[in-house]
């Protein structure tokens, strides 16, 4: 092996050791929880040395040596350790060894969480995105300077393989033959849980169950073996499109984290056994046997220790973050800020909402070759269980419109990696009730990526979610979930109630560089529910966009009646628009109805000004009422409009039952309707 590679590996192992000792000696300063790479250095450096700037890598929280091997300095890592302002990764917002990076000089590192195993899905999404870009010969697909094919590495601890989401990722990797390497570092511990307590097989044995997954087990404490294996594996994956799992057995020499210390749960015998496989003495012995003088190695150690000490002192004195900037980078700026295009073109026939969505996506895919659509049953054989993707598979091919397995976590989480690679994913969860297996990815990966990467990795994706009751759908196909979604910060949520809004919001959602969830009411898709005929509208023009966060007055009250105090307003969305309009027929010119159209961002300016004008307000939702978004909105209205109110703000939602009953009579008893709305309007008007 090249002498310079060996000496660089030795120097960086010494660096990692000096950093760990420095952190331990300065525990009061290093107050934020962190892990170090002690024991894992050999396999991490061997991996880093194989990577090119065209590649992608997802380190996990113990991978500081991998980062050193990529060329990041101790000072750079220490700024994150101490949560300093100039931390290039997250500006003091993230844990140590939680990097993200975009640059021409190093591999790309997407943002990922420290929820062990969860990085497997976004990182596999990167590999799937790269494969797609290569298939269409996209200019976004970047090879190495000598034409090398980019590969993806996902680093994991062995204990994380028991997570179901790791299996979802690996299923896709072997099915699609993706160029991804799962590097599994096995130190025998999952905090205080031993491998024998948690699983019956190691990572390599586990991977045997994924047909098409190449795999190998190695001594990850031996730099020579690790380097040769990773060199061969990386070369093989570059050459042949196939996933590979490398299971590297390593010692754990440090603490699990600075907060969960090894003496809490590990025996002296266990620690001594792990110390026998310390990669640094192993490498030093090999270097001495190869003829390198011990004085030269000792000099390297001394120089490194001094450099680490100096960089730590510099990091300590680095400035803290500016608290006035704490709310920056929640979202990336969007270009769609005004309504544009023709909403009601002359001569256009009315279309149903489901077709408006279909036409919008068709136009998007015609204009943007990077756009793909995937989810359960959306492919050309069926085109979606609601026919919401009908004909798209036939028009654009299986490589752009394709089915997935029953994998809500992968469907949602892969959008993180797809977006980072340059693909523009539109994904679908088949029913709102089915989104919960994907909540881990939505909450931890999708929503936080922009904020915790300081704006480097916003996730551009549209997540389509058919929602709501539609006549006997029963307890698993009729739910409303907007309150759950609105509890997640970092996502936008649209909820159109008619075809024109559907098309305009779908276009705006796609053009938005942030994650947008389109809640699409199944009962409005075809206007089959009595009283929803007005959900059909003329199809807007191709260039029509409707910015998120702009509500609409769908029914106005008479100005004279407003001035005489004889009116009220209803704030609602989705099916509530039609319940409110039906009820308003009983009170001619006395009811003003606001369709908020997007739940976040919310058009509070329109809402508050409308409430102040009328003094009486009903917030109407299809969700179960208690602790709902509607009740929270009513509270905000009460606060902002208190001195203008002539009556308490009222809320009407579904009964507080655990699920929507199947029987139509029971379903109707649970849900709001025009009759129930009318009763509350009477109370408000007579207050």
């Amino acid at each position: 092996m090249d002498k310079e590679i060996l000496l660089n590996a030795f120097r960086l192992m010494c660096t990692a050791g000096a950093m760990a000792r420095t952190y331990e000696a300065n525990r009061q300063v290093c107050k934020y929880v962190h892990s170090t790479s002690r024991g894992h250095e050999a396999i991490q450096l061997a991996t880093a040395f194989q990577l090119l700037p065209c590649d992608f890598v997802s380190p996990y929280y113990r991978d500081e040596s991998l980062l050193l091997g990529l060329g990041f300095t101790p000072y750079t890592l220490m700024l994150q350790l101490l949560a300093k302002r100039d931390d290039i990764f997250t500006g003091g917002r993230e844990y140590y060894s939680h990097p993200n990076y975009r640059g021409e000089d190093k591999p790309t590192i997407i943002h990922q969480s420290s929820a062990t195993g969860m990085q497997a899905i976004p990182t596999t999404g990167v590999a799937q995105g790269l494969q797609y870009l290569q298939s269409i010969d996209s200019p976004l697909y970047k090879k190495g300077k000598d034409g090398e094919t980019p590969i993806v590495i996902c680093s994991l601890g062995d204990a994380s393989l028991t997570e179901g989401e790791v299996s979802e990722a690996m299923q896709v990797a072997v099915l699609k033959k993706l160029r991804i390497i799962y590097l599994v570092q096995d130190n025998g511990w999952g905090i205080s849980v031993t491998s024998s307590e948690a699983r019956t097989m190691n990572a390599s044995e586990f991977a045997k169950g994924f047909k098409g997954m190449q795999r190998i087990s190695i001594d990850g404490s031996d730099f020579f073996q690790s380097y040769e294996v990773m060199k061969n594996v990386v070369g093989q994956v570059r050459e042949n499109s196939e996933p590979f799992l490398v299971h590297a057995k390593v010692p754990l020499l440090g603490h699990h984290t600075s907060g969960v210390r090894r003496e809490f749960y590990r025996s002296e015998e266990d620690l001594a056994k792990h110390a026998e496989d310390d990669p640094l003495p192993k490498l030093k012995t090999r270097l001495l046997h190869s003829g390198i003088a011990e004085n030269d190695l000792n000099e390297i150690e001394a120089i490194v220790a001094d450099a680490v000490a100096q960089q730590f002192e510099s990091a300590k004195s680095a400035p803290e973050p500016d608290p006035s900037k704490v709310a920056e980078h929640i979202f990336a700026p969007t270009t769609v800020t005004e309504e544009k295009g023709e909403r009601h073109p002359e001569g256009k026939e009315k279309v149903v909402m489901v077709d408006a969505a279909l036409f919008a996506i068709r136009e998007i895919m015609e204009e943007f070759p990077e756009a793909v659509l995937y989810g359960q049953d959306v492919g050309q054989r069926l085109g979606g269980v609601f026919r919401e993707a009908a004909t798209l598979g036939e028009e654009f091919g299986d490589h752009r419109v394709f089915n997935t397995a029953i994998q809500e976590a992968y469907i949602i989480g892969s959008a993180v990696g797809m977006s980072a690679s340059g693909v523009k994913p539109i994904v679908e969860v088949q029913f709102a009730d089915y989104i919960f297996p994907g909540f881990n990815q939505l909450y931890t990966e999708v929503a936080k990526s922009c904020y915790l990467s300081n704006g480097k990795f916003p996730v551009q994706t549209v997540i389509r979610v058919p929602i709501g009751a539609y006549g006997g759908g029963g307890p698993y196909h009729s739910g409303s979930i907007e309150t759950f979604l609105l509890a997640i910060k970092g996502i936008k949520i649209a909820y159109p109630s008619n075809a024109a809004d559907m098309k305009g919001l779908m276009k705006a959602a796609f053009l938005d560089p942030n994650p947008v969830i389109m809640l699409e009411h199944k009962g409005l898709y075809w206007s089959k529910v009595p009283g929803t005929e007005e959900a059909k509208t003329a199809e807007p023009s191709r260039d029509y966009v409707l910015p998120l966060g702009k509500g609409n007055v769908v029914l106005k009250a008479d100005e004279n009646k407003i001035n005489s105090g004889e009116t009220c307003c209803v704030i609602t969305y989705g099916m509530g628009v039609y319940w409110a309009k039906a009820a308003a027929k009983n009170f001619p010119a006395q009811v003003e109805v606001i369709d908020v159209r997007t739940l976040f961002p919310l058009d509070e300016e329109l809402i508050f000004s409308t409430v102040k004008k009328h003094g009486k307000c009903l917030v109407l939702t299809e969700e179960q009422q208690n602790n709902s978004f509607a009740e929270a909105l009513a509270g905000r209205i009460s606060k902002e409009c208190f001195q203008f109110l002539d009556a308490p703000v009222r809320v009407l939602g579904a009964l507080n039952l655990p699920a929507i009953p199947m029987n139509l009579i029971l379903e109707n008893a649970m849900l709001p309707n025009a009759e129930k709305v009318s009763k509350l309007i009477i109370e408000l008007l007579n207050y």
Side-chain angles (χ1 to χ4, degrees), residues 639-671:
K639 178 183 176 183
E640 294 295 326
C641 307
F642 181 75
Q643 60 185 333
F644 297 89
L645 292 175
D646 298 319
V649 178
R650 300 298 303 270
V651 179
L652 177 62
L655 300 181
N656 299 300
L657 308 179
I660 312 293
M662 176 75 77
N663 182 275
L664 286 169
I665 296 173
L666 297 177
E667 179 188 89
N668 187 57
M670 178 185 180
L671 296 176

Side-chain angles (χ1 to χ4, degrees), residues 14 142 150 176 273 326 354 373 415 451 457 525 536 561 568 587 620:
C14 292
K142 305 294 186 183
K176 302 292 186 180
K273 184 178 180 181
V326 69
V354 72
L373 170 66
Y451 182 70
F457 288 97
Y525 262 160
K536 294 188 285 189
K561 290 186 179 293
C568 69
F587 312 93
L620 174 61

Side-chain angles (χ1 to χ4, degrees), residues 482-498:
E482 52 265 36
T483 297
F484 292 97
L485 296 173
L486 287 161
I488 302 174
K489 313 310 173 190
I491 58 176
K492 299 182 181 183
I493 303 168
Y495 201 140
S497 67
N498 59 70

Side-chain angles (χ1 to χ4, degrees), residues 1 65 131 179 184 212 239 391 403-404 425 439 455 472-473 491 495 518 528 563 618 656 660:
M1 196 182 299
S65 285
Q131 184 186 67
R179 285 190 172 93
V184 181
E239 183 69 23
T391 74
N403 294 325
T404 67
F439 252 55
I491 58 176
Y495 201 140
M518 291 289 296
K528 290 183 177 179
N563 294 333
L618 167 64
N656 299 300
I660 312 293

Side-chain angles (χ1 to χ4, degrees), residues 52 63 113 141 164 234 258 262 360 371 427 443 449 492 499 530 572 644:
L52 303 173
D63 277 353
S113 73
Y141 182 75
V234 168
S258 57
R262 61 189 185 182
V427 303
Y443 176 78
S449 184
K492 299 182 181 183
T572 190
F644 297 89

Side-chain angles (χ1 to χ4, degrees), residues 214-493:
Q214 303 299 310
R215 66 193 200 284
I216 189 171
S217 286
I218 64 170
D219 178 0
S221 68
D222 183 331
F223 179 77
F224 284 80
Q225 183 184 152
S226 297
Y227 186 91
E228 290 302 322
V229 167
M230 292 309 299
K231 180 180 178 181
N232 293 333
V233 169
V234 168
Q236 186 173 328
V237 174
R238 285 198 202 281
E239 183 69 23
N240 309 314
S241 183
E242 60 181 0
F244 213 116
L245 184 141
V246 177
H247 169 238
K249 197 78 175 82
V250 293
L252 177 60
L253 302 181
H255 307 287
H256 168 68
T257 66
S258 57
V260 182
R261 303 178 62 77
R262 61 189 185 182
E263 59 266 23
F264 293 173
Y265 59 92
R266 296 179 66 183
S267 67
E268 291 295 328
E269 181 183 3
D270 174 69
L271 292 169
K273 184 178 180 181
H274 277 245
E276 293 174 2
D277 284 322
D278 189 334
L280 181 57
K282 280 187 176 183
L283 178 58
K284 187 173 184 178
T285 299
R286 291 287 294 270
L287 293 175
L288 292 172
H289 287 165
S290 69
I292 297 176
E294 185 169 9
N295 285 342
D296 291 342
L297 298 180
N298 291 340
E299 184 178 1
I300 290 174
E301 290 188 75
I303 291 172
V304 161
D306 184 59
V308 166
Q310 291 183 29
Q311 291 181 65
F312 184 71
E313 289 303 313
S314 297
K316 282 198 301 183
S317 60
E320 297 288 342
D322 181 351
S324 69
K325 297 183 178 181
V326 69
E328 290 184 355
H329 304 300
I330 299 172
F331 295 109
T334 180
T335 58
V336 181
T337 57
E338 296 180 6
E339 187 173 3
K340 294 181 180 178
E342 282 194 80
R343 181 177 174 89
H344 301 295
E346 289 186 18
K348 282 271 192 175
E349 291 187 6
K350 288 186 176 182
V351 297
V352 293
M353 278 182 63
V354 72
D355 284 346
L358 175 70
F359 300 156
I361 293 175
R362 176 188 294 153
E363 291 170 0
I364 286 168
M365 298 189 78
E366 288 171 348
E367 185 175 353
F368 297 92
E370 296 83 16
V372 296
L373 170 66
Y374 58 96
Q376 296 169 37
D377 297 302
V378 303
Q380 62 177 293
R381 192 177 296 114
L382 181 60
V385 295
F386 300 102
R387 303 294 288 158
E388 70 281 2
T391 74
L392 293 177
E394 296 171 5
E395 289 183 54
F396 299 103
D398 293 338
H399 66 302
R400 295 191 67 188
V401 181
F402 53 89
N403 294 325
T404 67
I406 302 174
Q407 293 182 322
E408 286 81 11
Y410 189 86
I411 291 168
I412 291 173
S414 61
V416 176
M418 284 275 204
S419 175
S421 74
V423 176
K424 300 180 185 298
I426 304 169
V427 303
E428 180 178 312
V429 174
Q430 201 166 68
F431 289 89
D433 310 73
Y434 296 172
I435 201 171
F436 295 100
F439 252 55
N440 269 352
Q441 292 291 325
L442 184 63
Y443 176 78
T444 308
E445 309 294 344
V446 174
K448 291 179 169 60
S449 184
C450 185
Y451 182 70
L452 292 180
S453 68
N454 267 8
K456 292 192 291 296
F457 288 97
V459 179
Q460 183 174 10
T461 186
V462 178
I463 303 173
R464 300 184 66 186
V465 183
I467 192 171
Y470 61 111
Y476 309 113
H477 300 82
S478 308
S480 293
I481 60 166
E482 52 265 36
T483 297
F484 292 97
L485 296 173
L486 287 161
I488 302 174
K489 313 310 173 190
I491 58 176
K492 299 182 181 183
I493 303 168

